Amino acid sequence: MSKTLDVLEQAVHGSAAGFKTGCKSRGGCPNYGSREHLTCSRAYRAWVHYSRLYELSPETPITWTMLRHAKGRS
């Protein structure tokens, strides 16, 4: 297997750590199209932007519900 695929398999997808590990493609993330979890790129942007999410560990997968709560929407 290629080194890139090894890195992507080890990534915690849907988290800031997944983005930092190398999963930077929106459509290439296994969470693409998921109704529960964000893609790694979206999770990283949310983790950096919202203080409620930034308090979490970078390895924590972020869900759409968590993002709505961070934005102040229930």
Side-chain angles (χ1 to χ4, degrees):
M1 216 182 263
S2 73
K3 185 176 180 179
T4 303
L5 291 176
D6 289 340
V7 168
L8 291 178
E9 283 183 358
Q10 295 173 359
V12 179
H13 292 284
S15 69
F19 181 82
K20 290 179 178 182
T21 303
C23 183
K24 297 183 178 176
S25 169
R26 289 183 213 157
C29 181
N31 288 349
Y32 180 75
S34 172
R35 293 179 181 224
E36 185 177 348
H37 289 91
L38 303 178
T39 61
C40 293
S41 62
R42 179 116 186 188
Y44 179 76
R45 286 184 312 213
W47 183 74
V48 171
H49 186 74
Y50 296 103
S51 61
R52 290 182 185 177
L53 297 176
Y54 194 76
E55 294 171 353
L56 301 172
S57 166
E59 289 83 19
T60 304
I62 298 174
T63 64
W64 287 104
T65 304
M66 292 166 71
L67 179 58
R68 278 195 302 276
H69 286 290
K71 289 181 175 183
R73 302 175 192 159
S74 293

